[in-house]
């Protein structure tokens, strides 16, 4: 049951992420930072893609993905269409990986130490879902703040 719930949440929020990126009226705003906003929406999007492809795709789905986390925050001016394509590809990777899991797998210890202690795969997947939702909210706020200023 948790697997289906997680699939539903990841799908919902990745579709919302795609919508947020598509909704930027001025594509250059994707990469803008302002005052105390240190991460652009484009960089947060790249970060989410890297995060999910690493911890779900590579570790659970065995995709072979290799993360370059510093680039998630340093790359700029990636076209909106490319970000959208990466989101769509990530959704497929996440769904395929989650489809490979059993309920028993969720109770097993996640293969990597991420937060300096062991945790179950189920716990970590819930964390990844909330991490996605957290940054999705930041992107939504960023878009509304920059696209609607006068």
């Amino acid at each position: 049951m948790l697997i289906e719930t997680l699939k539903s949440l990841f799908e919902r929020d990745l579709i919302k992420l795609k919508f947020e990126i598509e909704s930027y009226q001025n594509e250059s705003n994707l990469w803008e930072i302002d005052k105390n906003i240190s991460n652009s929406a484009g960089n947060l999007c790249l970060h989410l893609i890297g995060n999910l492809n690493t911890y779900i795709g590579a570790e659970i789905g065995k995709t072979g993905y290799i993360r370059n986390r510093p680039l998630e925050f340093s790359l700029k001016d990636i076209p909106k269409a490319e970000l959208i394509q990466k989101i769509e590809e990530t959704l497929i990777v996440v769904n395929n990986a989650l489809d490979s899991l059993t309920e028993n797998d969720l109770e097993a210890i996640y293969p990597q130490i991420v937060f300096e202690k062991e945790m179950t795969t189920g716990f970590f997947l819930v964390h990844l879902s909330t991490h996605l939702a957290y940054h999705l909210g930041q992107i939504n706020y960023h878009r509304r703040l920059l696209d609607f200023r006068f």
Side-chain angles (χ1 to χ4, degrees):
M1 180 167 150
L2 180 57
I3 293 169
E4 290 305 314
T5 299
L6 287 165
K7 282 181 62 175
S8 177
L9 291 171
F10 281 115
E11 182 170 352
R12 178 196 71 187
D13 288 347
L14 284 167
I15 288 170
K16 284 183 180 178
L17 176 61
K18 178 182 169 187
F19 172 80
E20 288 297 332
I21 299 302
E22 287 172 335
S23 295
Y24 273 79
Q25 295 173 12
N26 181 348
E27 190 166 343
S28 66
N29 281 351
L30 278 165
W31 304 99
E32 189 169 332
I33 56 173
D34 188 33
K35 296 182 180 121
N36 293 323
I37 300 172
S38 58
N39 292 313
S40 69
N43 289 116
L44 287 172
C45 181
L46 290 173
H47 171 61
L48 289 168
I49 290 164
N51 185 272
L52 295 174
N53 275 288
T54 297
Y55 294 121
I56 297 178
E59 191 62 55
I60 295 171
K62 306 300 182 208
T63 62
Y65 180 85
I66 298 173
R67 186 177 195 181
N68 187 336
R69 192 173 189 279
L71 283 181
E72 295 168 14
F73 295 99
S74 64
L75 287 175
K76 304 291 180 211
D77 301 321
I78 307 299
K80 183 194 294 191
E82 187 175 334
L83 290 175
I84 291 166
Q85 179 182 351
K86 288 177 183 292
I87 295 166
E88 291 170 346
E89 292 167 354
T90 300
L91 178 56
I92 293 167
V93 166
V94 168
N95 277 330
N96 288 342
L98 293 179
D99 281 341
S100 74
L101 291 176
T102 66
E103 293 293 328
N104 287 338
D105 292 330
L106 296 179
E107 298 302 318
I109 299 300
Y110 185 76
Q112 291 185 36
I113 301 294
V114 182
F115 302 122
E116 300 176 8
K117 65 178 185 172
E118 288 185 345
M119 68 191 106
T120 66
T121 298
F123 177 89
F124 190 52
L125 288 171
V126 170
H127 162 77
L128 292 173
S129 176
T130 61
H131 176 261
L132 170 58
Y134 174 74
H135 287 312
L136 178 59
Q138 289 178 315
I139 291 168
N140 172 267
Y141 189 75
H142 181 270
R143 178 182 60 79
R144 290 182 294 118
L145 185 67
L146 295 179
D147 268 358
F148 297 112
R149 64 182 165 182
F150 297 82

